[in-house]
Structure formats: structure tokens, C-alpha cells
């Protein structure tokens, strides 16, 4: 009974922490919480892709971790520059906020589109990203409404730290 209480408390704490972190509200993010935790962190992109198709928009998919200092830094940057950046996001993108934790390493991370669920590395390959890189927080994918990548994206700290850099990314400038 105590073990069940501890597990329930741990799940509640994870849910509360994930609810606090993330893309600021000014960007109207579609928040996707993982299912299958703590053994598996599965994120379903199906609904966001269907909406992108209906609205003829792209997806800006952000994978952040509740306990990632680099994620908090990027989110603070977005918050501090929301007046200037949010309209640019809203024009062409739906922002998808995958809420994770650093404990969700690549071997435990899965992405789902429709009836297909892929482990992180296979998902990377399925969208044409052949780079052999470990899972890095934060990660961003720019996808069209058919889940095709629009640009190879850098990941981790030191990316998108100025408004001009972020606007170049949104405009797909290589």
C-alpha cells in the first residue's frame, strides 16, 4: 500500500512539474503529455498534425524537459520576446510542446503518428534526420503537415538565443 502511495505521489509530482515547464502561453502551444510513464514516454503527434492539415500550417515541435536548465533558458527567452515573436509563430506554425523530463532518455522516448509508434532514433530516421546524435534537450523539429522535416535543426544549449536567429529559423533560412 505504501509503495502504491509513493508511486502515485511520484506520478503526481511529475505531472505537476511538467505542467509548470514549457512554452509560454503567448504562443498558444498544443501541450502533449507523455503516456506510459515512467517506463516509457510516448508522445502522440496525430492530433497536432491533423490540425496542421486543416489549418494549412507547419508544426514547431518542441521537446523540453521539466528539469532542464537549457530548456528553462529557452522558454524564458520566448517569454521575454513574446510580443515580437509570437505573431511570427502564429502566422505559419502550430507550436507543439512535448512535456518531458531528463529521465526520458532516447531508449524510453517514443513518438506516435496515427497507428505508428516509433522509438526516438527510428522517428529521427523516419523524418529524414540521419544524424547520429543522442537525444538532447531541448530539441526542436520543424515539420510540415505531413510530418516531413522542413529543416535540419540544431539542438541543446546555445541555439535560438536572439530574436533574429529565431526569426531565421521560422522563415526556414539555412
Amino acid at each position: 500500500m505504501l509503495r502504491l502511495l509513493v508511486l502515485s505521489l511520484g506520478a503526481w509530482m511529475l505531472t505537476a512539474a511538467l505542467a509548470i515547464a514549457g512554452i509560454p502561453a503567448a504562443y498558444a502551444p498544443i501541450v502533449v503529455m507523455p503516456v506510459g510513464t515512467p517506463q516509457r514516454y510516448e508522445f502522440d503527434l496525430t492530433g497536432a498534425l491533423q490540425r496542421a492539415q486543416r489549418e494549412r500550417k507547419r508544426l514547431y515541435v518542441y521537446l523540453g524537459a521539466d528539469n532542464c536548465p537549457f530548456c528553462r533558458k529557452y522558454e524564458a527567452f520566448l517569454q521575454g520576446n513574446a510580443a515580437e515573436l509570437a505573431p511570427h509563430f502564429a502566422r505559419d506554425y502550430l507550436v507543439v510542446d512535448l512535456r518531458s523530463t531528463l529521465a526520458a532518455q532516447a531508449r524510453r522516448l517514443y513518438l506516435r503518428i496515427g497507428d505508428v509508434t516509433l522509438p526516438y532514433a527510428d522517428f529521427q530516421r523516419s523524418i529524414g534526420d540521419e544524424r547520429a546524435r543522442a537525444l538532447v534537450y531541448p530539441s526542436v523539429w520543424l515539420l510540415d503537415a505531413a510530418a516531413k522535416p522542413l529543416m535540419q535543426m540544431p539542438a541543446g544549449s546555445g541555439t535560438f538565443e536572439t530574436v533574429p536567429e529565431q526569426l531565421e529559423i521560422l522563415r526556414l533560412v539555412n
Side-chain angles (χ1 to χ4, degrees), residues 154-171:
S157 65
T159 55
F160 327 129
E161 291 188 348
T162 69
V163 169
E165 286 175 327
Q166 184 68 67
L167 291 175
E168 283 181 6
I169 294 295
L170 295 177
R171 293 177 185 137

Side-chain angles (χ1 to χ4, degrees), residues 1-94:
M1 181 64 126
L2 181 59
R3 179 173 164 74
L4 181 59
L5 180 60
V6 169
L7 288 174
S8 295
L9 180 59
W12 176 83
M13 288 172 46
L14 173 63
T15 301
L18 294 176
I20 293 168
I23 299 289
Y27 296 84
I30 299 168
V31 176
V32 180
M33 299 298 287
V35 297
T37 61
Q39 294 82 15
R40 179 180 174 116
Y41 291 76
E42 182 177 317
F43 295 96
D44 191 347
L45 297 174
T46 306
L49 283 164
Q50 290 170 342
R51 183 174 160 194
Q53 290 167 357
R54 283 192 311 272
E55 296 181 20
R56 299 180 191 266
K57 291 195 173 187
R58 303 168 180 153
L59 293 183
Y60 187 96
V61 181
Y62 172 76
L63 175 64
D66 64 317
N67 52 346
C68 166
F70 302 115
C71 300
R72 295 296 80 68
K73 182 177 178 184
Y74 178 61
E75 293 158 11
F77 161 77
L78 289 176
Q79 180 66 38
N81 294 286
E84 189 170 357
L85 289 174
H88 293 278
F89 275 88
R91 183 176 51 243
D92 297 317
Y93 292 90
L94 296 176

